[in-house]
């Protein structure tokens, strides 16, 4: 089955630790996205990539980093510089990097900083 | 430039209709609508494109008024399965590079 997967589903980390969230898609989509979701805030764009080996900052990139070495993979690292990392993180992909294509979302990773 | 959704929340009885609005202060190329159940991923409902036609998905339809920079989602004869939070995502011509800016969502609860 084609789709987009994220792991782990739940993640706990101590303050000061970096943590990497996995996102994989087998839909052969060019574009991939990371969003952060907080209660009552909607979805906010962290990073996006429209092609392999290229990515751009979104609206709230500070304290996060990404890589796009393979078309199907777009991991997100939450660094210790992120002041308030506890949130629900969603990865998405789209056939093209335009607003004319729907975005397919993964099941999400809920990150809790202890 | 985050679009504004209204109402923030609505409670319906099964079979009732509802309208969810999404307004932007910026010109729009397209508007997406997604529905998210609690703790799950958002699911795509439809896209409305500038100059395009009104879209329909089963008993859910949507319109896009380019001049007013707003879109409305119409849920007809609501079912229990319609419960969830509805988000609009807008594509704006300047600086967006095709990315979407999402509203804060409208929580819809359908009761038996």
């Amino acid at each position: 089955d084609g789709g987009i997967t994220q792991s782990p589903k739940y993640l706990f980390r101590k303050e000061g630790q970096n943590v990497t969230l996995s996102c994989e898609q087998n839909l052969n989509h060019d574009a991939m996205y990371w969003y952060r979701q907080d209660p009552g805030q909607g979805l906010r764009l962290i990073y996006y990539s429209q092609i392999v080996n290229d990515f751009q900052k979104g609206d709230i990139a500070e304290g996060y980093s990404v890589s796009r070495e393979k078309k199907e993979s777009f991991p997100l690292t939450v660094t210790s510089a992120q002041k308030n990392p506890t949130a629900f993180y969603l990865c998405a992909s789209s056939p093209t990097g335009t607003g004319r294509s729907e975005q397919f979302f993964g099941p999400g990773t809920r990150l809790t900083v202890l | 430039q985050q679009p504004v959704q209204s109402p923030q929340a609505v409670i319906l009885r099964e079979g009732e209709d509802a309208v969810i609005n999404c307004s932007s202060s910026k010109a729009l190329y397209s508007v997406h609508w997604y529905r998210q159940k609690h703790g799950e991923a958002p699911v795509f409902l439809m896209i409305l494109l500038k100059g395009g036609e009104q879209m329909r998905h089963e008993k859910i339809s949507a319109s896009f008024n380019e001049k007013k920079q707003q879109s409305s989602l119409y849920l007809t004869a609501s079912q229990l399965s319609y419960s969830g939070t509805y988000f609009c995502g807008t594509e704006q011509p300047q600086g967006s590079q095709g990315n979407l800016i999402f509203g804060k969502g409208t929580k819809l609860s359908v009761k038996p």
Side-chain angles (χ1 to χ4, degrees), chain B residues 34-109:
Chain B
Y34 294 81
R35 176 172 61 211
Q36 184 180 30
K37 304 260 184 193
H38 183 69
E40 298 180 5
V43 174
F44 171 78
L45 293 175
M46 60 189 75
I47 296 177
L48 296 109
L49 305 178
K50 184 178 179 180
E53 299 177 352
Q54 182 175 358
M55 300 296 292
R56 188 171 185 85
H57 172 71
E58 298 179 346
K59 291 185 179 179
I60 299 174
S61 62
S63 63
F64 179 21
N65 187 320
E66 297 162 33
K67 287 186 179 179
K68 291 185 177 180
Q69 298 156 190
Q70 64 185 33
S71 176
S72 295
L73 189 72
Y74 306 93
L75 298 101
T76 306
S78 59
Q79 306 168 14
L80 296 177
S81 61
Y82 286 3
S83 293
T85 301
Y86 289 77
F87 293 98
C88 67
T90 57
E91 181 195 9
Q92 299 171 9
Q94 294 182 353
S96 70
Q97 298 190 35
N99 296 323
L100 300 179
I101 302 174
F102 287 89
K104 294 185 177 182
T106 294
K107 186 174 182 179
L108 177 71
S109 300

Side-chain angles (χ1 to χ4, degrees), chain A residues 40-104:
Chain A
Q41 294 299 315
L43 304 170
R44 293 185 290 169
L45 184 64
I46 305 173
Y47 268 97
Y48 64 98
S49 169
Q50 296 183 332
I51 196 169
V52 177
N53 292 321
D54 186 53
F55 50 83
Q56 305 294 330
K57 292 181 179 180
D59 299 322
I60 56 165
E62 185 176 352
Y64 300 98
S65 65
V66 294
S67 63
R68 185 88 187 276
E69 297 175 1
K70 297 186 296 183
K71 188 175 185 177
E72 57 271 22
S73 179
F74 192 40
L76 173 75
T77 296
V78 185
T79 75
S80 56
Q82 169 49 233
K83 300 290 184 215
N84 184 20
T86 294
F88 188 48
Y89 291 87
L90 286 161
C91 179
S93 69
S94 179
T96 68
T98 74
R100 274 120 183 97
S101 300
E102 67 177 275
Q103 294 189 11
F104 296 78

